[in-house]
Amino acid sequence: MKATPRQQLLKSIAQFIPRCERCTCDECEVFSGIFGNTFWHENVSPSMHHWLNKVNLPRLPMAAFPHLRKICNNGFIVDSNGKNSYLTHPERMALPTLYISGGKSLLVTPQTSFLANKYMMLHQPGFRHERVVVEGFGHSDLLIGEESYKKVFPHILSHLRLAEDGRRNGGVSAEESFCHGANLPLPVPFKVDHFVAAAL
Ligand SMILES: [Zn+2]
């Protein structure tokens, strides 16, 4: 599909916007100009980079930006009408949570997951809440990185197992919810029906 003159102008402007890493791929340059870099290139394979830019992203929907602007202007999450309809009902989020941030900051800072974890520990102390900062990762490379299966996914599997154990044992105390850094053993897979993992 041929780009309109307005779309071409937006793409040209996006390519001039400063960002952490430059790339030789035009689609990648446009995407990171609009959103900011979402991954460290060294963490994704050439085939993943090709798929992201040439297969997954032939067209970039812009419809979410008015909503994102409202969230940024408010400084916390709001609905698409700008109303604070999420944080006012923590009782609706009765579930274990795991927050994973990259230690090599990109796009967002680890402070976001720090605050989210504190919020859940305060409002839902009966569930397990954990936070992990994985060194060397930025944002989406936490989930699509070539080494994610070794350095990130074990944290998710471990949390699933511990949260399920906690549920069987009647929940966890606030003291059992915590933040930690790395080096978890590979856990055994298991069934779970109440879990949120956020890569922030
Ligand atoms: Zn790139």
Side-chain angles (χ1 to χ4, degrees):
M1 183 176 168
K2 196 170 179 346
T4 66
R6 285 183 58 171
Q7 289 168 337
Q8 282 291 359
L9 178 62
L10 177 61
K11 287 164 88 173
S12 301
I13 294 170
Q15 286 180 292
F16 280 107
I17 295 174
R19 76 286 314 267
C20 296
E21 278 191 328
R22 285 286 174 183
C23 182
T24 55
C25 170
D26 283 347
E27 288 87 350
C28 191
E29 282 286 273
V30 171
F31 183 85
S32 57
I34 292 172
F35 285 99
N37 292 109
T38 58
F39 56 85
W40 291 111
H41 279 74
E42 66 185 5
N43 288 339
V44 301
S45 67
S47 57
M48 173 60 79
H49 187 268
H50 176 86
W51 180 82
L52 282 173
N53 290 295
K54 303 293 185 184
V55 181
N56 183 48
L57 195 66
R59 298 168 67 183
L60 180 61
M62 304 294 283
F65 278 85
H67 188 186
L68 288 171
R69 183 172 62 238
K70 286 173 186 161
I71 293 172
C72 292
N73 287 339
N74 278 285
F76 56 88
I77 190 166
V78 294
D79 65 21
S80 58
N81 296 314
K83 292 199 177 104
N84 181 13
S85 54
Y86 299 116
L87 297 180
T88 51
H89 293 289
E91 76 281 1
R92 295 177 182 173
M93 294 188 281
L95 76 173
T97 58
L98 167 66
Y99 302 90
I100 305 176
S101 282
K104 190 176 175 185
S105 286
L106 190 68
L107 194 64
V108 294
T109 69
Q111 179 77 357
T112 54
S113 65
F114 177 81
L115 294 173
N117 188 39
K118 288 270 185 200
Y119 177 89
M120 290 301 287
M121 288 168 70
L122 176 67
H123 292 289
Q124 292 290 348
F127 292 88
R128 185 175 199 88
H129 305 292
E130 291 179 86
R131 175 176 177 261
V132 182
V133 177
V134 186
E135 293 305 322
F137 285 80
H139 183 61
S140 61
D141 46 338
L142 284 161
L143 298 179
I144 63 172
E146 192 70 358
E147 301 272 291
S148 297
Y149 78 99
K150 283 194 289 191
K151 297 180 178 173
V152 182
F153 296 170
H155 294 290
I156 297 173
L157 294 171
S158 175
H159 181 82
L160 287 167
R161 178 173 55 78
L162 293 169
E164 185 73 1
D165 288 347
R167 190 172 73 110
R168 275 196 292 267
N169 297 327
V172 297
S173 67
E175 291 73 30
E176 287 181 273
S177 293
F178 58 96
C179 308
H180 59 84
N183 300 325
L184 288 175
L186 276 169
V188 292
F190 73 105
K191 174 182 170 295
V192 68
D193 56 9
H194 55 187
F195 173 70
V196 171
L200 297 172

